[in-house]
Amino acid sequence: MKEKLQNLQKTALKEIFSAKDLKTLKEVAVAYLGKKGKLTEILHGVKDLPAESKPIIGKLSNEIKVELEKAFADKNKEIENLEIAKSLNEEWIDLTASGEKYEYGHLHPLTKTQHEVENIFHGMGFMVADGPEVECEKYNFDDLNIPATHPARDMQDTFFLDKKPDVKLGKLVLRTHTSPVQVRTMLKYGAPLKIIVPGRVFRNEALDACHEHTFDQVEGLMIDKEISLAHLKGVMAEFLSKLFEKEVKVRFRPGYFPFVEPGLELDMSCTICGGVGCKTCKHAGWLEFMGAGMVHPNVLKAGGIDPNVYQGWAFGFGLTRLIMMRYGIDDIRVLNGGDLRFVEQF
Ligand code: PHE
């Protein structure tokens, strides 16, 4: 019996030591120490042994039980440690490695400046309005006092859509300016009205550093009782001074647009030299900034507003041009060219 026990002890220890994973080790443990394990069965049988061998075998089997339990615990720990070490080896992180640069995207300079423009006008009580880029002839031309036969249509040569014209709205056209939103907004909200309309416009241009077929404008419109060009001067001086974060002066020159009367061009004092004269302003001290004027009575009528009660002014400037001035960009084509080397500079 004693010998049987010692053999069991030997083989059990051998099996424990050679176990390579926790599953095998557990099976060995069950085979010897489980409910029906080999050693458990011997321990149960001790009570039936002859009196003289009972204490000896009883003691020995208990000692073996304790020894095996310890061997199991030790081996268990050893395998666990090995598995941790193995996984660490497989998934290690080099804390000293220099990281990979994480590229953040950002808004396009056009969008950024558009947001700034919107904020400034919003602060002066203007609403930001929107209109379709594919416009109808009626809003883009006719309602703005530019009938089909008018030579002003040549000033804004554009892209017509190859669709059957609507009887009332005319042909579909990629809008040549943001001015069609004037009448659209008048019809929708009536007077009084204070809006700006930032948006994309299109023209059939021969492309060069100053001309693009697609660019951005900002329209402005203020209609109320007793509105004069003095309000326009005040609003624009305030807007430009806020945007350029320095005092900017404005001046009017006569200009022609069929949808305003009188029409004018607004110049701003040169932001580089402050009006003294430099290369940027060609030593004039002034930079051409936008077209504007008092809204023509025909346009108010087209918008359902009585020109005998209300009057107002409108302006339109090139957001694209403003950005070129602001950042010193000398070729318009880079703005929508999709070259990341340009965009990433902002
Ligand atoms: N729509 C004109 C243009 O694109 C600008 C303008 C707007 C002029 C409003 C006067 C009044 O050239």
Side-chain angles (χ1 to χ4, degrees):
M1 186 69 189
K2 201 173 160 187
E3 208 173 301
K4 192 179 160 196
L5 265 172
Q6 280 161 345
N7 276 338
L8 180 142
Q9 178 191 26
K10 235 198 243 160
T11 46
L13 285 173
K14 215 162 116 192
E15 282 176 43
I16 292 169
F17 290 138
S18 57
K20 290 243 157 25
D21 52 65
L22 291 176
K23 190 170 161 267
T24 321
L25 186 67
K26 184 120 195 262
E27 280 164 12
V28 178
V30 171
Y32 289 94
L33 299 170
K35 256 191 200 159
K36 288 190 179 148
K38 288 179 195 158
L39 185 63
T40 317
E41 264 171 13
I42 294 175
L43 279 161
H44 282 323
V46 168
K47 62 181 189 314
D48 306 322
L49 291 173
E52 67 275 14
S53 54
K54 220 189 254 184
I56 305 161
I57 300 299
K59 188 165 172 258
L60 183 60
S61 16
N62 264 322
E63 279 167 6
I64 294 176
K65 188 182 171 214
V66 172
E67 190 190 357
L68 291 188
E69 278 171 352
K70 186 168 181 303
F72 276 122
D74 289 350
K75 186 69 185 178
N76 202 63
K77 196 152 239 135
E78 186 189 314
I79 295 178
E80 269 177 5
N81 284 343
L82 270 175
E83 281 181 0
I84 290 171
K86 199 172 143 220
S87 71
L88 280 181
N89 241 345
E90 276 163 9
E91 304 164 14
W92 68 289
I93 298 170
D94 181 359
L95 293 174
T96 63
S98 55
E100 249 175 63
K101 193 170 163 228
Y102 193 88
E103 301 281 354
Y104 286 96
H106 63 75
L107 293 176
H108 191 279
L110 260 166
T111 315
K112 273 196 212 170
T113 306
Q114 181 185 325
H115 288 173
E116 282 176 60
V117 171
E118 287 175 5
N119 274 338
I120 298 172
F121 276 103
H122 208 235
M124 291 192 275
F126 283 74
M127 180 169 86
V128 179
D130 201 5
E133 290 173 3
V134 179
E135 188 49 280
C136 51
E137 236 181 325
K138 177 173 150 64
Y139 293 128
N140 195 82
F141 294 120
D142 301 80
D143 281 0
L144 291 170
N145 219 15
I146 319 174
T149 51
H150 200 287
R153 284 213 180 183
D154 289 346
M155 282 160 62
Q156 297 185 356
D157 189 13
T158 186
F159 306 99
F160 283 94
L161 271 74
D162 207 2
K163 282 244 161 79
K164 209 174 142 232
D166 183 271
V167 186
K168 280 200 188 130
L169 302 173
K171 284 186 258 181
L172 283 178
V173 58
L174 294 190
R175 65 175 179 191
T176 55
H177 48 180
T178 40
S179 300
V181 189
Q182 284 187 28
V183 170
R184 280 185 175 274
T185 324
M186 287 181 208
L187 289 173
K188 190 166 177 188
Y189 298 103
L193 207 54
K194 259 165 98 181
I195 57 159
I196 57 156
V197 187
R200 192 171 285 169
V201 301
F202 313 85
R203 288 191 198 172
N204 184 9
E205 301 274 11
L207 307 189
D208 60 28
C210 305
H211 297 91
E212 252 284 34
H213 50 69
T214 303
F215 55 100
D216 281 68
Q217 280 190 338
V218 177
E219 190 83 6
L221 179 68
M222 184 173 188
I223 295 173
D224 208 332
K225 293 174 179 162
E226 294 173 42
I227 292 297
S228 78
L229 289 176
H231 297 112
L232 175 63
K233 217 168 192 178
V235 164
M236 290 317 290
E238 173 72 10
F239 160 65
L240 290 167
S241 300
K242 279 237 166 80
L243 188 75
F244 285 96
E245 294 172 335
K246 59 168 87 153
E247 203 201 331
V248 179
K249 293 199 184 78
V250 296
R251 74 172 184 187
F252 291 159
R253 278 183 295 116
Y256 172 70
F257 301 94
F259 35 95
V260 284
E261 178 60 39
L264 56 96
E265 299 272 352
L266 182 141
D267 295 340
M268 58 186 276
S269 55
C270 176
T271 49
I272 307 290
C273 64
V276 190
C278 67
K279 231 169 68 187
T280 307
C281 60
K282 297 191 187 104
H283 301 283
W286 296 95
L287 297 166
E288 269 182 40
F289 185 61
M290 66 177 199
M294 293 302 287
V295 181
H296 196 287
N298 288 351
V299 178
L300 289 170
K301 275 188 225 153
I305 292 175
D306 184 352
N308 296 315
V309 182
Y310 288 99
Q311 70 287 135
W313 43 252
F315 66 75
F317 67 80
L319 185 68
T320 309
R321 230 182 73 83
L322 174 72
I323 285 157
M324 291 172 72
M325 257 162 59
R326 196 178 184 196
Y327 297 114
I329 299 165
D330 58 8
D331 191 331
I332 191 171
R333 291 166 295 193
V334 297
L335 276 157
N336 284 329
D339 189 336
L340 287 181
R341 287 171 305 178
F342 165 73
V343 181
E344 279 164 2
Q345 291 175 46
F346 294 88

